[in-house]
Amino acid sequence: MGALSLVGLTKSFGALQTLKGIDLALKDGEFLVLLGPSGCGKSTILNMIAGLIEPTSGDVRIDGRSVLGVHPKDRDIAMVFQSYALYPNLTVARNIGFGLEMRKVPGAEREAAVARVAETLQITELLGRRPAALSGGQRQRVAIGRALVRDPAVFLFDEPLSNLDAKLRMETRTEIKRLHQSLGKTMVYVTHDQIEAMTLATRIAVLNQGRVEQFDTPEMIYRRPASLFVAGFVGSPGMNLLQGRIAGGRFLANSGAGILPLPDGFGHLSDGQAVTFGIRPEDVSLAGPDAPVALPAMVEVVELTGPEKLAVLRLGDERITASLAPGAAIEPGSSCRFLFDPAAIVLFDTATAQRLDPHPDRSRDHPARSEYPRG
Amino acid sequence: MPTIPTTLRPWALMLPLLVVILGVVTWPLFRTVSLSLSDAGLVATSGTFVGFDNFAKNFGSKAFQAAFLNTAWFTLLSVGAELVLGVLVALLLNQPIRGRTALRGLMILPWALPTVVNAILWRLIYNPEYGALNSLLLQLGVIESYRSWLGQPQSAMLAMVVADVWKNFPIVALIGLAALQSVPRETHAAAIVDGAGPLARFRFVIWPYLAGPLMIALVLRTIEAFKVFDIIWVMTRGGPANSTRTLSILVYQEAFSFQRAGSGASLALIVTLFVMLLASGYVAIMRRSALRG
C-alpha cells in the first residue's frame, strides 16, 4: 500500500547538479527520515516524491508503479509543510477538508472525515476558527490533520517542527510518532535536526551534497557511522575524532595525545596508514587508579547539563568530550585518567573519509586486542 | 545658544511644518468655506454673505448633475479597468518568464510619465487626421474612415478612460506584484497537492494576500479618479458638448472661466465632501476585514 522506491534520482539546475543519484527503497509502513544540512538536497527529494519537482533522471515508484508525470493530487500522497501552509481565509474545518472538497467528496462524508481527524488530533474546538487565531502548535496540528484526512499511501513531512518552540517541538514529535505507530503508514520526513531523525525514523538516510552518505537504522547511523560526515553530523555533542596513523597495530595520534590500542579485527591495517579514531562522548569514562590502559588528560571545562556532565579533556593538542554521570567527581584544572569502551570505537580511513570495518579473519588480529579490559 | 525647555521642544521642532500646513491647507480651506457662503467674484473677492445659496443652486443645476454622472462614470470605468488589468499584468510578471526584471521596469514607464505628457501623447494618438489609432483601426479593417475620437460625445469619455487606464494601471500592477510576492510558496504547493486548480488556487491561496493591498490601490485610485482634472483639461477641456466635463473641470470653469469664485468654492467643497465620504467608506470596509483577518 505504501512501498516507495527512489531509483537513481538526479536533479540538475543548468550546470549545477544538486542530486547525484539517489537510490532508496522503503517497505510499506516505514518511517524514513532524510537528514542532512541545508542545501544537501533533502527537500528536493521530498518535492520529487510529491510531484512538485520533476527529476532530471531516475524514477519514483509507489507500490512498484512509476509516478513520474502523475499530478501530485493523483499520487496518493499528502504533505505537511514547515510553514504549515494553511489557507488563511478558510476555517480550520475547511482547511482540513480542502483536499476532499477539491476532489468533490460529498459534504456529509467530508464533514464526518474532518470531525474524525479533529477528534484524533484533539482540535475539535478549533474547527470554526481561522488560522490567524491559532498558535503555531495548533496550526501545525491542523496541517497534519489536512494530511490525515486524505488517508494517503505515503505521508511527506517537510521540516514540520522547525517553526515551533522547543517544548512544542517535542510534544508534536511524539504526536507524529504516535500517529505513525497507530496508522502504520509509510512516512518520509525531512529534517536537519538529528534528534528528530533519531527518535522518529525506522531508517535514516543521511544526505550530503546530493548523495546518500548512509542509509540505515538510527542505531547503526549512531553507533556505526559510515563516514566522517555522518560521524560529525549525528550526535550532540558530536563524535570525538582524533587524527592519527597506524603504528605497530596501534593508533598513534598526530597531536601527541598518545598511543591507543585498537579493538579486535584491525590487525590487517598497515603501518603508517592515516586513520581517524572516533569515539562517542558517552563511551569515554573515567578510569580508576588501577585501570591498566587508561590515558592521562587535563580537565579543561566541566558542564552540567542536568542528566549528564560534559567534560572537555585535553590530551596533548587534542580535545575530546566525555559525557559522564552527573555525579562524576571531576574538577576543571585537575588531571584525570580515562578510557574508551573498545566496542564503541569507530575507525575511519582519513583519505577516503569512509569507515574501516574490522577484518573478519581473526587470525591476523594484532595481539594488542587483549590490551583493553573487558567489562 | 539659548536652550529650549524640554516640554516645548517638540512644538519648536514641529513649528515650521505647522506654519506650512496653516499656510497651504488650513487657511485656504477656511477661505474656501467663507467664499462658498458668499457671492464673491474672481475680481471682487469680498462678496456679500448668501448662506447656503451656492450649494442649493449648484446641487439643483443640470450642469452639476451631468458633471457628477460624468465623474462617477469615469471613476467606475477607469478604476475598474485599472484593477483588472493591473492584477492580470501582476500575475503575468510574477511568472518565471525570461526578461521578467526588464519587463517589470518597462511596465512602470506610463505611470512615471507626467500626466500632461501622457495626455498630449494620447491626444496625438486620437488625432482625427494623422492619429495612430485611426491608422491602426483602418488597416485592421475595424473602421472605414478616420474618426474624431475626442470630437464626438459618444467616444470622447471612453477615449479618456483608455488614456487614464494606460497611465495608472502600472501602480495597481506594482502593488499587486508586491502582494503576490508575499504569497508563501508552500501554501501554493499545498494547494497543488490538495488538487486545487488554477482558479481555486487564485481564490484560496493568492486572493487572501492580494485583497488587502488591492483595497489600498482601490482607495488611492478612486480618490484620484474622482478628482480627475489635468488629463481631461489637456485633451478635451471638458468637451465636446460637456461630455467629459467632470466635477473638477466644472469647479475650474465656474471659478475661473465664469469668474464666480463663491459658487466655484461651493462646488469644490462638494467634491471634497464626496471624496471624504468615499474614503471613510473604504476605511470602514478595511477596518472590518482587518478585524475579521
Side-chain angles (χ1 to χ4, degrees):
Chain A
M1 278 310 290
L4 174 74
S5 52
L6 311 178
V7 187
L9 277 186
T10 71
K11 182 69 187 178
S12 302
F13 296 96
L16 182 74
Q17 195 177 33
T18 54
L19 286 185
K20 298 161 185 163
I22 302 292
D23 291 278
L24 296 171
L26 292 185
K27 293 190 289 289
D28 181 31
E30 279 206 78
F31 198 125
L32 167 69
V33 171
L34 299 171
L35 174 67
S38 41
C40 71
K42 55 192 190 296
S43 285
T44 309
I45 297 174
L46 199 74
N47 282 318
M48 282 178 179
I49 301 171
L52 296 165
I53 297 178
E54 286 294 314
T56 306
S57 68
D59 199 3
V60 177
R61 294 183 195 141
I62 297 177
D63 289 322
R65 189 175 59 98
S66 172
V67 291
L68 287 193
V70 178
H71 191 279
K73 73 175 197 296
D74 301 320
R75 287 193 177 195
D76 207 8
I77 50 116
M79 196 157 170
V80 178
F81 296 87
Q82 177 179 352
S83 65
Y84 326 126
L86 300 179
Y87 310 113
N89 60 347
L90 299 185
T91 59
V92 166
R94 271 192 84 191
N95 258 288
I96 294 176
F98 192 77
L100 302 179
E101 190 180 329
M102 291 296 116
R103 283 169 175 76
K104 310 259 186 297
V105 172
E109 195 181 319
R110 204 164 68 214
E111 277 167 34
V114 169
R116 201 168 52 238
V117 165
E119 186 77 20
T120 309
L121 294 170
Q122 298 169 0
I123 48 173
T124 306
E125 73 283 3
L126 305 178
L127 285 177
R129 293 206 207 155
R130 280 171 207 278
L134 303 179
S135 70
Q138 290 170 329
R139 284 181 208 190
Q140 195 52 288
R141 292 171 100 80
V142 175
I144 292 171
R146 189 168 59 182
L148 279 183
V149 81
R150 298 252 322 278
D151 192 27
V154 179
F155 282 89
L156 306 175
F157 295 88
D158 193 356
E159 308 216 19
L161 308 182
S162 298
N163 286 6
L164 302 178
D165 62 53
K167 186 167 171 287
L168 263 174
R169 198 177 308 163
M170 271 185 66
E171 287 172 10
T172 315
R173 196 176 77 201
T174 310
E175 183 89 28
I176 292 174
K177 180 120 184 164
R178 193 172 12 238
L179 280 174
H180 179 248
Q181 283 167 359
S182 64
L183 298 173
K185 293 279 186 168
T186 307
M187 297 188 175
V188 182
Y189 186 106
V190 162
T191 184
H192 60 264
D193 182 316
Q194 37 113 6
I195 304 283
E196 278 172 32
M198 292 296 295
T199 50
L200 288 171
T202 56
R203 278 198 285 175
I204 298 175
V206 181
L207 295 157
N208 183 31
Q209 298 185 342
R211 276 185 224 285
V212 177
E213 289 271 339
Q214 188 172 5
F215 178 42
D216 218 327
T217 61
E219 164 96 37
M220 288 299 284
I221 296 268
Y222 189 76
R223 304 300 334 171
R224 309 291 301 159
S227 66
L228 283 172
F229 176 82
V230 178
F233 193 79
V234 178
S236 175
M239 185 178 253
N240 294 301
L241 296 169
L242 302 176
Q243 305 284 329
R245 60 183 188 277
I246 299 293
R250 300 179 187 187
F251 173 79
L252 176 63
N254 290 347
S255 61
I259 298 174
L260 305 171
L262 294 179
D264 294 353
F266 288 104
H268 62 289
L269 298 178
S270 49
D271 263 17
Q273 181 176 354
V275 295
T276 303
F277 182 101
I279 187 83
R280 292 273 173 209
E282 61 272 29
D283 298 319
V284 180
S285 53
L286 292 179
D290 49 350
V293 287
L295 285 167
M298 287 295 296
V299 183
E300 258 192 5
V301 180
V302 177
E303 297 168 323
L304 179 68
T305 64
E308 61 183 357
K309 206 176 229 178
L310 293 176
V312 178
L313 310 175
R314 187 167 169 159
L315 357 46
D317 295 338
E318 209 100 45
R319 284 180 181 81
I320 66 164
T321 305
S323 167
L324 308 169
I330 186 166
E331 291 299 326
S334 67
S335 62
C336 71
R337 295 190 342 127
F338 68 95
L339 39 85
F340 301 129
D341 175 1
I345 293 168
V346 188
L347 281 188
F348 301 91
D349 183 331
T350 307
T352 63
Q354 299 299 304
R355 186 184 69 219
L356 292 166
D357 284 315
H359 205 286
D361 183 4
R362 292 177 62 94
S363 67
R364 293 179 61 187
D365 275 1
H366 196 274
R369 71 190 149 108
S370 58
E371 286 180 55
Y372 276 107
R374 296 281 154 201
Chain B
M1 201 178 138
T3 54
I4 307 165
T6 324
T7 45
L8 288 183
R9 205 170 290 160
W11 290 100
L13 288 170
M14 284 192 296
L15 195 63
L17 186 67
L18 283 174
V19 169
V20 171
I21 287 176
L22 276 174
V24 303
V25 179
T26 316
W27 174 244
L29 190 67
F30 171 77
R31 276 291 290 157
T32 307
V33 172
S34 76
L35 270 177
S36 71
L37 301 173
S38 76
D39 63 354
L42 201 57
V43 186
T45 47
S46 53
T48 50
F49 181 79
V50 294
F52 287 99
D53 279 6
N54 287 327
F55 290 91
K57 193 179 72 204
N58 279 326
F59 254 123
S61 80
K62 286 224 156 50
F64 172 81
Q65 285 160 4
F68 179 80
L69 283 179
N70 281 341
T71 308
W73 190 227
F74 175 84
T75 304
L76 195 75
L77 283 183
S78 60
V79 174
E82 282 157 21
L83 285 185
V84 172
L85 193 64
V87 169
L88 287 178
V89 169
L91 284 170
L92 194 71
L93 289 181
N94 198 40
Q95 300 301 313
I97 47 173
R98 198 182 282 268
R100 181 168 70 167
T101 316
L103 283 174
R104 284 178 182 175
L106 213 58
M107 175 201 77
I108 204 73
L109 213 60
W111 182 71
L113 282 179
T115 310
V116 173
V117 174
N118 181 53
I120 292 170
L121 209 91
W122 279 95
R123 207 170 60 190
L124 290 174
I125 293 172
Y126 289 138
N127 188 288
E129 281 136 40
Y130 48 83
L133 184 67
N134 274 321
S135 168
L136 183 75
L137 292 181
L138 192 73
Q139 284 174 43
L140 289 175
V142 179
I143 53 171
E144 284 164 7
S145 60
Y146 277 24
R147 290 190 191 172
S148 175
W149 302 101
L150 292 175
Q152 290 161 333
Q154 298 87 342
S155 59
M157 182 55 99
L158 278 179
M160 198 70 66
V161 167
V162 169
D164 189 68
V165 169
W166 190 78
K167 160 126 180 85
N168 286 312
F169 89 84
I171 190 66
V172 180
L174 199 69
I175 291 172
L177 195 57
L180 286 180
Q181 282 168 4
S182 71
V183 176
R185 290 169 63 153
E186 290 198 336
T187 312
H188 218 93
I192 292 174
V193 172
D194 269 341
L199 275 180
R201 289 209 297 275
F202 181 81
R203 192 172 149 207
F204 297 112
V205 179
I206 296 175
W207 184 248
Y209 293 89
L210 199 56
L214 223 51
M215 191 70 197
I216 291 168
L218 178 69
V219 172
L220 291 177
R221 284 307 309 142
T222 309
I223 291 171
E224 285 280 301
F226 205 83
K227 298 188 302 185
V228 65
F229 177 80
D230 37 13
I231 193 169
I232 292 179
W233 190 252
V234 172
M235 283 172 71
T236 61
R237 303 206 163 213
N242 294 331
S243 62
T244 59
R245 184 162 76 180
T246 58
L247 286 173
S248 293
I249 300 275
L250 186 66
V251 171
Y252 181 87
Q253 288 179 343
E254 190 70 12
F256 299 103
S257 306
F258 309 140
Q259 309 211 348
R260 292 192 285 259
S263 172
S266 73
L267 279 171
L269 284 176
I270 292 171
V271 176
T272 310
L273 212 68
F274 273 121
V275 170
M276 279 169 64
L277 270 176
L278 277 175
S280 52
Y282 281 141
V283 167
I285 294 172
M286 277 201 280
R287 279 239 180 88
R288 228 179 35 209
S289 57
L291 281 180
R292 254 188 311 148

